[in-house]
Amino acid sequence: MADSLPRPIAAVCNAKLPDGRVVDLSIASGVVTGIAAAGTAEPLGPTLDLRGRLLLPAPAEPHAHLDKARSFDAVNPKLGDLGSAIDAWRRHASAMSVESIVERARAQALAMLAAGTTAIRSHVDVLGDGGAGLEDVTRGARALVQVRDELAGLMDIELVALAAPDCPDQHVEAVLDAGVDLVGGAPHLAPDPAADLARLLALAQRRGIGADLHADENLSGPVTLDAYARAVRDWPAGRSRTAGHCVRLGTLEAARRDAIIADVKAADVGIVTLPITNLYLQGWEHPVSTPRGLAPLRELLDAGVRLGAGADNVRDPFNPVGRGDALETASLLVTAGHLSPEEAYGLVSTGARSVMGLPPAGAVVGAQADFLAIRAVNLVDAIATAPADRIVIHRGRVVAITEAHRELPALPVFVPAS
């Protein structure tokens, strides 16, 4: 069928850019090869006419938990903080099958694709305790590797082994052997944070792969981000080194905060802020003047740190709501993070791709042809209203189309009294 998806295209015409220009783009081999004023280019193949839709660089999701997504109803957890969410998830996870994880993860990934996200980095739990068999330990990993393989060509998915402090090294190795890409964990939750940080980074070094750690996801307590940054400063260029959450960094006094940010910048550690989950989980113990629970975004941006933002958990014990929509994340960055709309969208698109080690995407010659086309007047309108009407392009192929229909009653003609 000629109109079936995915559908390769050689040109996008009548696209409205955030700066107001209306342009035509040429695409070859998944890359933007030319940009011209609308109506002046001669397409050399199949063309997508956007008819003035706003064309944005496609969002990327640098920190998801596809293995947990959409589990809230099944878990039915008590609403609460990080510790209670971890306990609820662990009780539920032991009964999950590979098939049930695949079903939820696939549905969530496709929903994110329809919303515009063309790349996802997802953490996946290393399941079971020290006595668990390897079949149990790798259930989540095997499920997400299956989803990654099924969706190859539609979107890019990268996986991180999320190792709890009590998880033996051989279990992490088994998950990596199952096809997971990076080492992850949460050293700040360990009885000895420094020791757990060291063993996770040593494991990554042994495998010659990168790390993406949950870092300091608390308003108080240990700080591991500075030690992490110093430990990976001499890693080879291009090897992934990422820290998610970094909530504690936003609570430190300015001198120490700035010193840690300097370490992060020197080591080129990418930081991922996760507003919806951290706004939900953090601050339950502060009923008065509840803190925001965010990394210090302005200071990180001003320091030139690679910074991205993600949706994190979606409808699971760690966040009962969320749409997995980058425009929702951008909106929260504006309201809770005090960023401009342009900065906020930059974190869920260009910034997210940077911390994930992906090539730039968007309306720039030489950039990857990954786009979100949306029926919006401008970027502020897109973030504010998050229109459902969207077209998604990945590597020069249309991979998702959502068309919204709205019907309202006709209003009587108002005739002012004379």
Side-chain angles (χ1 to χ4, degrees), residues 278-360:
N278 286 144
L279 289 169
Y280 169 70
L281 288 176
Q282 302 299 323
W284 287 76
E285 71 278 22
H286 296 279
V288 177
S289 298
T290 305
R292 276 193 168 95
L294 292 177
L297 306 181
R298 177 58 55 203
E299 289 76 13
L300 289 164
L301 283 171
D302 288 349
V305 170
R306 289 187 299 120
L307 180 63
D312 201 0
N313 300 86
V314 177
R315 291 164 51 195
D316 66 23
F318 300 79
N319 173 27
V321 292
R323 302 192 303 271
D325 182 354
L327 293 177
E328 180 181 39
T329 300
S331 180
L332 288 168
L333 292 172
V334 173
T335 55
H338 292 168
L339 299 186
S340 72
E342 294 76 16
E343 290 171 326
Y345 193 78
L347 293 197
V348 300
S349 55
T350 304
R353 292 184 69 87
S354 175
V355 299
M356 295 169 71
L358 296 172

Coordinates of all heavy atoms in Angstrom, one line a residue, residues 278-360:
N278 N 10.4 13.7 39.7 CA 11.0 14.3 40.9 C 10.1 15.3 41.6 O 10.2 15.5 42.8 CB 12.4 15.0 40.5 CG 13.4 13.9 40.3 OD1 14.3 14.1 39.4 ND2 13.4 12.8 41.0
L279 N 9.2 16.0 40.8 CA 8.3 16.9 41.5 C 7.2 16.0 42.3 O 6.7 16.4 43.3 CB 7.5 17.7 40.4 CG 8.4 18.8 39.8 CD1 7.7 19.4 38.6 CD2 8.7 19.9 40.8
Y280 N 7.0 14.8 41.8 CA 6.0 13.9 42.4 C 6.6 13.3 43.7 O 6.1 13.3 44.8 CB 5.5 12.9 41.5 CG 4.7 11.8 42.2 CD1 3.5 12.1 42.8 CD2 5.2 10.5 42.4 CE1 2.8 11.1 43.5 CE2 4.6 9.5 43.1 CZ 3.3 9.8 43.6 OH 2.6 8.9 44.3
L281 N 7.8 12.7 43.5 CA 8.4 11.9 44.6 C 9.1 12.7 45.7 O 9.1 12.3 46.9 CB 9.5 11.0 44.0 CG 9.0 9.8 43.2 CD1 10.2 9.0 42.6 CD2 8.1 8.8 44.0
Q282 N 9.6 13.9 45.4 CA 10.4 14.6 46.4 C 9.5 15.6 47.1 O 8.6 16.2 46.6 CB 11.5 15.3 45.7 CG 12.5 14.5 44.9 CD 13.2 13.4 45.7 OE1 13.5 13.7 46.9 NE2 13.4 12.2 45.2
G283 N 9.8 15.7 48.4 CA 9.2 16.7 49.2 C 8.0 16.3 50.1 O 7.4 17.1 50.7
W284 N 7.7 15.0 50.1 CA 6.6 14.5 50.9 C 6.8 14.9 52.4 O 5.8 15.0 53.1 CB 6.4 13.0 50.7 CG 5.8 12.7 49.4 CD1 6.4 12.7 48.2 CD2 4.4 12.3 49.1 NE1 5.6 12.3 47.2 CE2 4.3 12.1 47.7 CE3 3.3 12.2 49.9 CZ2 3.1 11.7 47.1 CZ3 2.1 11.8 49.3 CH2 2.0 11.6 47.9
E285 N 8.0 14.9 52.8 CA 8.3 15.2 54.2 C 8.3 16.7 54.6 O 8.6 17.1 55.7 CB 9.7 14.5 54.6 CG 10.9 15.2 54.0 CD 11.3 14.8 52.6 OE1 10.3 14.3 51.9 OE2 12.4 15.0 52.2
H286 N 8.0 17.5 53.6 CA 8.0 19.0 53.8 C 6.6 19.5 53.4 O 6.4 20.1 52.3 CB 9.1 19.6 52.8 CG 10.5 19.3 53.2 ND1 11.2 19.8 54.2 CD2 11.3 18.4 52.6 CE1 12.4 19.3 54.2 NE2 12.5 18.4 53.2
P287 N 5.7 19.4 54.3 CA 4.3 19.9 54.0 C 4.2 21.4 53.9 O 3.3 21.9 53.4 CB 3.5 19.4 55.2 CG 4.5 19.2 56.3 CD 5.8 18.8 55.7
V288 N 5.2 22.1 54.4 CA 5.3 23.6 54.3 C 6.5 24.0 53.5 O 7.6 23.4 53.6 CB 5.4 24.2 55.7 CG1 5.5 25.8 55.6 CG2 4.2 23.9 56.5
S289 N 6.3 24.9 52.5 CA 7.4 25.4 51.6 C 8.0 24.2 51.0 O 9.3 24.0 51.0 CB 8.4 26.2 52.4 OG 7.8 27.4 52.9
T290 N 7.2 23.3 50.4 CA 7.7 22.1 49.8 C 8.7 22.4 48.7 O 8.4 23.2 47.7 CB 6.5 21.3 49.2 OG1 5.6 21.0 50.2 CG2 7.0 19.9 48.6
P291 N 9.9 21.8 48.7 CA 10.9 22.2 47.7 C 10.6 21.5 46.3 O 9.8 20.6 46.3 CB 12.2 21.5 48.3 CG 11.8 20.5 49.3 CD 10.4 21.0 49.8
R292 N 11.2 22.1 45.3 CA 10.9 21.7 43.9 C 11.4 20.3 43.6 O 10.8 19.6 42.8 CB 11.4 22.7 42.9 CG 10.6 23.9 42.7 CD 11.0 24.7 41.5 NE 10.1 25.7 41.1 CZ 10.1 27.0 41.4 NH1 11.1 27.4 42.3 NH2 9.2 27.8 41.0
G293 N 12.5 19.9 44.1 CA 13.1 18.6 43.7 C 13.6 18.6 42.3 O 13.3 17.6 41.6
L294 N 14.3 19.6 41.9 CA 14.9 19.6 40.5 C 16.4 19.9 40.6 O 16.9 20.6 41.6 CB 14.3 20.7 39.6 CG 12.8 20.5 39.2 CD1 12.3 21.7 38.5 CD2 12.6 19.2 38.4
A295 N 17.1 19.5 39.6 CA 18.5 19.9 39.5 C 18.6 21.4 39.2 O 17.6 22.0 38.7 CB 19.2 19.1 38.3
P296 N 19.7 22.1 39.5 CA 19.8 23.5 39.3 C 20.0 23.8 37.8 O 21.1 24.0 37.3 CB 21.0 23.9 40.1 CG 21.9 22.7 40.2 CD 20.9 21.5 40.2
L297 N 18.9 24.0 37.1 CA 19.0 24.0 35.6 C 19.7 25.3 35.1 O 20.5 25.2 34.2 CB 17.5 24.0 35.1 CG 16.7 22.8 35.5 CD1 15.3 22.9 34.9 CD2 17.4 21.5 35.2
R298 N 19.4 26.4 35.7 CA 20.0 27.6 35.2 C 21.5 27.6 35.3 O 22.3 27.9 34.4 CB 19.4 28.8 35.9 CG 20.0 30.2 35.5 CD 19.9 30.5 34.1 NE 18.5 30.4 33.6 CZ 18.2 30.2 32.4 NH1 19.1 30.0 31.4 NH2 16.9 30.2 32.1
E299 N 22.0 27.1 36.5 CA 23.4 27.1 36.8 C 24.1 26.1 35.8 O 25.2 26.3 35.3 CB 23.7 26.7 38.2 CG 23.3 27.8 39.2 CD 21.8 28.0 39.5 OE1 21.1 27.1 39.1 OE2 21.4 29.0 40.1
L300 N 23.5 24.9 35.6 CA 24.0 23.9 34.7 C 24.1 24.5 33.2 O 25.1 24.3 32.5 CB 23.2 22.7 34.7 CG 23.3 21.8 36.0 CD1 22.2 20.8 36.1 CD2 24.7 21.1 36.0
L301 N 23.0 25.2 32.8 CA 23.1 25.7 31.4 C 24.1 26.8 31.3 O 24.9 26.9 30.3 CB 21.7 26.3 31.1 CG 20.6 25.3 30.7 CD1 19.2 26.0 30.6 CD2 20.9 24.6 29.4
D302 N 24.2 27.7 32.3 CA 25.1 28.8 32.3 C 26.6 28.3 32.3 O 27.5 28.9 31.7 CB 24.9 29.7 33.5 CG 23.7 30.6 33.3 OD1 23.1 30.6 32.2 OD2 23.3 31.2 34.3
A303 N 26.8 27.1 32.9 CA 28.2 26.5 32.9 C 28.5 25.8 31.7 O 29.7 25.4 31.5 CB 28.3 25.6 34.1
G304 N 27.5 25.6 30.8 CA 27.8 24.9 29.5 C 27.8 23.4 29.6 O 28.4 22.7 28.8
V305 N 27.2 22.9 30.7 CA 27.1 21.4 30.9 C 26.1 20.9 29.9 O 25.1 21.5 29.6 CB 26.6 21.1 32.3 CG1 26.3 19.6 32.5 CG2 27.7 21.5 33.3
R306 N 26.4 19.7 29.3 CA 25.4 19.0 28.4 C 24.2 18.6 29.3 O 24.4 17.8 30.2 CB 26.0 17.8 27.8 CG 27.1 18.1 26.7 CD 27.5 16.9 25.9 NE 28.2 15.9 26.8 CZ 27.7 14.7 27.0 NH1 26.6 14.2 26.4 NH2 28.4 13.8 27.8
L307 N 23.1 19.1 28.9 CA 21.9 19.0 29.8 C 20.7 18.6 28.9 O 20.4 19.2 27.9 CB 21.6 20.3 30.5 CG 20.4 20.3 31.4 CD1 20.5 19.4 32.6 CD2 20.2 21.8 32.0
G308 N 20.0 17.5 29.3 CA 18.8 17.1 28.7 C 17.7 16.9 29.7 O 17.9 16.9 30.9
A309 N 16.5 16.6 29.2 CA 15.4 16.4 30.1 C 14.5 15.3 29.6 O 14.4 15.1 28.4 CB 14.5 17.7 30.2
G310 N 13.9 14.6 30.5 CA 13.1 13.4 30.1 C 11.8 13.3 30.9 O 11.6 14.0 31.9
A311 N 10.9 12.4 30.5 CA 9.7 12.1 31.1 C 9.8 11.1 32.3 O 8.9 11.0 33.1 CB 8.6 11.7 30.1
D312 N 10.9 10.3 32.3 CA 11.1 9.3 33.3 C 10.0 8.3 33.4 O 9.6 7.7 32.5 CB 11.3 10.1 34.7 CG 12.1 9.2 35.7 OD1 12.4 8.1 35.4 OD2 12.3 9.7 36.8
N313 N 9.3 8.2 34.6 CA 8.3 7.2 34.8 C 7.0 7.7 34.3 O 6.6 8.9 34.4 CB 8.2 6.9 36.3 CG 9.5 6.4 36.9 OD1 10.4 7.2 37.3 ND2 9.6 5.1 36.9
V314 N 6.2 6.7 33.8 CA 4.8 7.0 33.3 C 3.9 6.0 33.8 O 4.0 4.8 33.6 CB 4.8 6.9 31.7 CG1 3.4 7.2 31.2 CG2 5.8 8.0 31.2
R315 N 3.0 6.5 34.7 CA 1.9 5.6 35.2 C 2.4 4.3 35.9 O 2.0 3.2 35.5 CB 0.8 5.3 34.1 CG 0.1 6.6 33.7 CD -0.7 6.4 32.4 NE -1.5 5.2 32.4 CZ -2.0 4.7 31.3 NH1 -1.7 5.3 30.1 NH2 -2.7 3.6 31.3
D316 N 3.3 4.5 36.8 CA 3.8 3.4 37.6 C 4.0 3.8 39.0 O 3.6 4.9 39.4 CB 5.1 2.9 37.0 CG 6.3 3.9 37.0 OD1 6.3 4.8 37.9 OD2 7.2 3.8 36.2
P317 N 4.5 3.0 39.9 CA 4.6 3.4 41.3 C 5.4 4.7 41.6 O 5.2 5.3 42.6 CB 5.2 2.2 42.0 CG 4.8 1.1 41.2 CD 4.9 1.6 39.8
F318 N 6.2 5.1 40.7 CA 7.1 6.2 40.8 C 6.5 7.5 40.3 O 7.0 8.6 40.5 CB 8.4 6.0 40.1 CG 9.2 4.8 40.7 CD1 8.9 3.5 40.3 CD2 10.2 5.0 41.6 CE1 9.5 2.4 40.9 CE2 10.9 3.9 42.1 CZ 10.6 2.6 41.8
N319 N 5.4 7.4 39.6 CA 4.6 8.5 39.0 C 3.3 8.0 38.5 O 3.3 7.3 37.5 CB 5.4 9.2 37.9 CG 4.6 10.3 37.2 OD1 3.7 10.9 37.8 ND2 4.9 10.5 35.9
P320 N 2.2 8.3 39.2 CA 0.9 7.7 38.8 C 0.3 8.3 37.5 O -0.6 7.8 37.0 CB 0.0 8.0 40.0 CG 0.6 9.2 40.6 CD 2.1 9.1 40.4
V321 N 0.9 9.4 37.0 CA 0.4 10.1 35.9 C 1.4 10.2 34.8 O 2.3 9.4 34.7 CB -0.2 11.5 36.3 CG1 -1.4 11.3 37.2 CG2 0.8 12.3 37.0
G322 N 1.3 11.2 33.9 CA 2.3 11.4 32.9 C 1.8 10.8 31.5 O 1.1 9.8 31.5
R323 N 2.2 11.5 30.4 CA 1.8 11.1 29.1 C 2.9 10.5 28.3 O 2.7 10.1 27.2 CB 1.1 12.2 28.3 CG -0.1 12.9 29.0 CD -0.8 13.8 28.1 NE 0.0 14.9 27.6 CZ 0.2 16.1 28.2 NH1 -0.3 16.3 29.3 NH2 1.0 17.0 27.6
G324 N 4.2 10.7 28.8 CA 5.3 10.3 28.0 C 5.4 11.2 26.8 O 5.9 10.8 25.7
D325 N 5.0 12.4 26.9 CA 5.0 13.4 25.8 C 6.1 14.5 26.2 O 6.0 15.1 27.2 CB 3.6 14.1 25.7 CG 3.5 15.1 24.6 OD1 4.5 15.4 23.9 OD2 2.4 15.6 24.3
A326 N 7.0 14.7 25.2 CA 8.1 15.7 25.5 C 7.5 17.1 25.7 O 8.2 17.9 26.4 CB 9.1 15.7 24.3
L327 N 6.4 17.4 25.1 CA 5.8 18.7 25.3 C 5.3 18.9 26.8 O 5.3 20.0 27.3 CB 4.7 19.0 24.4 CG 5.1 19.1 22.9 CD1 3.9 19.3 22.0 CD2 6.1 20.2 22.7
E328 N 4.9 17.8 27.4 CA 4.5 17.9 28.8 C 5.8 18.2 29.7 O 5.8 19.0 30.6 CB 3.9 16.5 29.3 CG 3.5 16.5 30.8 CD 2.9 15.2 31.1 OE1 3.4 14.1 30.7 OE2 2.0 15.1 32.0
T329 N 6.9 17.5 29.4 CA 8.1 17.7 30.1 C 8.6 19.2 29.8 O 9.0 19.9 30.8 CB 9.2 16.8 29.5 OG1 8.8 15.4 29.8 CG2 10.6 17.0 30.3
A330 N 8.5 19.7 28.6 CA 8.9 21.0 28.3 C 8.1 22.0 29.1 O 8.6 23.0 29.6 CB 8.8 21.3 26.8
S331 N 6.8 21.8 29.2 CA 5.9 22.7 30.0 C 6.3 22.7 31.4 O 6.3 23.8 32.0 CB 4.4 22.2 29.8 OG 3.6 23.0 30.5
L332 N 6.6 21.6 32.0 CA 7.1 21.6 33.4 C 8.4 22.3 33.6 O 8.6 22.9 34.6 CB 7.2 20.1 33.9 CG 5.9 19.4 34.1 CD1 6.1 17.9 34.3 CD2 5.1 19.9 35.3
L333 N 9.3 22.2 32.6 CA 10.5 22.9 32.7 C 10.3 24.5 32.7 O 11.1 25.2 33.3 CB 11.5 22.5 31.5 CG 12.0 21.1 31.6 CD1 12.7 20.8 30.2 CD2 12.9 20.9 32.7
V334 N 9.3 24.9 32.0 CA 8.9 26.3 32.0 C 8.3 26.7 33.4 O 8.8 27.7 34.0 CB 8.0 26.7 30.9 CG1 7.5 28.1 31.0 CG2 8.6 26.4 29.5
T335 N 7.4 26.0 33.8 CA 6.6 26.4 35.0 C 7.4 26.1 36.3 O 7.4 26.9 37.2 CB 5.3 25.7 35.1 OG1 5.4 24.2 35.0 CG2 4.4 26.1 34.0
A336 N 8.0 24.9 36.4 CA 8.8 24.6 37.6 C 10.2 24.9 37.6 O 10.9 25.2 38.6 CB 8.6 23.1 38.0
G337 N 10.8 24.8 36.4 CA 12.2 25.1 36.2 C 12.6 26.5 35.8 O 13.8 26.8 35.8
H338 N 11.6 27.3 35.5 CA 11.8 28.7 35.2 C 12.7 28.9 33.9 O 13.5 29.8 33.9 CB 12.4 29.5 36.4 CG 11.4 29.6 37.5 ND1 11.8 30.1 38.7 CD2 10.1 29.4 37.6 CE1 10.7 30.1 39.5 NE2 9.7 29.7 38.8
L339 N 12.6 28.0 33.0 CA 13.3 28.1 31.7 C 12.4 28.8 30.7 O 11.2 28.8 30.8 CB 13.7 26.8 31.2 CG 14.7 25.9 32.0 CD1 15.1 24.7 31.3 CD2 15.9 26.7 32.5
S340 N 13.0 29.4 29.7 CA 12.2 29.9 28.6 C 11.6 28.8 27.8 O 12.2 27.6 27.8 CB 13.1 30.8 27.7 OG 14.0 30.0 26.9
P341 N 10.6 29.0 27.0 CA 10.0 27.9 26.2 C 11.1 27.3 25.2 O 11.2 26.1 24.9 CB 8.9 28.5 25.4 CG 8.4 29.6 26.4 CD 9.7 30.1 27.0
E342 N 11.9 28.2 24.6 CA 13.0 27.8 23.7 C 14.0 26.9 24.4 O 14.4 25.9 23.9 CB 13.7 29.0 23.1 CG 12.8 29.8 22.2 CD 11.8 30.7 22.9 OE1 12.0 30.9 24.1 OE2 10.8 31.1 22.3
E343 N 14.4 27.3 25.6 CA 15.4 26.5 26.4 C 14.7 25.1 26.8 O 15.4 24.1 26.7 CB 15.8 27.2 27.7 CG 16.7 28.4 27.4 CD 16.9 29.2 28.7 OE1 15.9 29.3 29.5 OE2 18.0 29.8 28.9
A344 N 13.5 25.2 27.2 CA 12.8 24.0 27.6 C 12.7 23.0 26.5 O 13.0 21.8 26.6 CB 11.4 24.3 28.1
Y345 N 12.3 23.4 25.3 CA 12.2 22.5 24.2 C 13.6 22.0 23.7 O 13.7 20.9 23.3 CB 11.4 23.1 23.0 CG 11.1 22.0 22.0 CD1 10.0 21.1 22.2 CD2 11.9 21.8 20.8 CE1 9.7 20.1 21.3 CE2 11.6 20.7 20.0 CZ 10.5 19.9 20.2 OH 10.3 18.8 19.4
G346 N 14.6 22.9 23.9 CA 15.9 22.5 23.6 C 16.4 21.3 24.4 O 17.1 20.4 23.9
L347 N 16.0 21.3 25.7 CA 16.4 20.2 26.6 C 15.8 18.9 26.2 O 16.4 17.8 26.4 CB 16.1 20.5 28.0 CG 16.8 21.7 28.7 CD1 16.7 21.6 30.2 CD2 18.3 21.7 28.3
V348 N 14.6 18.9 25.7 CA 13.9 17.6 25.3 C 14.2 17.2 23.9 O 13.8 16.1 23.5 CB 12.4 17.7 25.5 CG1 12.1 18.0 27.0 CG2 11.7 18.7 24.6
S349 N 15.0 18.0 23.1 CA 15.3 17.6 21.8 C 16.8 17.6 21.6 O 17.5 16.6 21.8 CB 14.6 18.6 20.8 OG 14.9 20.0 21.1
T350 N 17.4 18.8 21.3 CA 18.8 18.9 21.1 C 19.6 18.4 22.3 O 20.6 17.7 22.2 CB 19.2 20.3 20.7 OG1 18.4 20.7 19.6 CG2 20.7 20.4 20.4
G351 N 19.2 18.9 23.5 CA 20.0 18.5 24.7 C 19.8 17.0 25.0 O 20.8 16.4 25.4
A352 N 18.6 16.5 24.8 CA 18.5 15.0 25.1 C 19.3 14.2 24.1 O 19.9 13.2 24.5 CB 17.0 14.7 24.9
R353 N 19.3 14.6 22.8 CA 20.2 13.8 21.9 C 21.6 13.9 22.3 O 22.4 12.9 22.1 CB 19.9 14.3 20.5 CG 18.5 14.0 19.9 CD 18.4 14.5 18.5 NE 19.2 13.6 17.6 CZ 18.7 12.5 17.1 NH1 17.5 12.0 17.4 NH2 19.5 11.8 16.3
S354 N 22.1 15.1 22.8 CA 23.5 15.2 23.1 C 23.9 14.3 24.3 O 24.9 13.6 24.2 CB 23.7 16.7 23.5 OG 25.1 16.9 24.0
V355 N 23.0 14.3 25.3 CA 23.4 13.4 26.5 C 23.3 11.9 26.1 O 24.0 11.1 26.7 CB 22.6 13.7 27.7 CG1 22.8 15.1 28.2 CG2 21.1 13.4 27.5
M356 N 22.5 11.6 25.0 CA 22.4 10.2 24.6 C 23.5 9.9 23.6 O 23.6 8.7 23.1 CB 21.1 10.0 24.0 CG 19.9 10.1 25.0 SD 18.3 10.1 24.2 CE 18.1 8.4 23.6
G357 N 24.3 10.9 23.2 CA 25.4 10.6 22.2 C 24.9 10.4 20.8 O 25.5 9.8 19.9
L358 N 23.7 11.0 20.5 CA 23.1 10.9 19.1 C 23.5 12.1 18.3 O 23.8 13.1 18.8 CB 21.6 10.8 19.3 CG 21.0 9.6 20.0 CD1 19.5 9.8 20.2 CD2 21.3 8.3 19.2
P359 N 23.5 11.9 17.0 CA 23.9 13.0 16.1 C 22.8 14.1 16.2 O 21.6 13.7 16.4 CB 24.0 12.4 14.7 CG 23.2 11.1 14.8 CD 23.3 10.6 16.2
P360 N 23.1 15.3 15.9 CA 22.1 16.4 15.9 C 21.0 16.1 14.9 O 21.2 15.4 13.9 CB 22.8 17.6 15.5 CG 24.3 17.3 15.9 CD 24.4 15.9 15.6

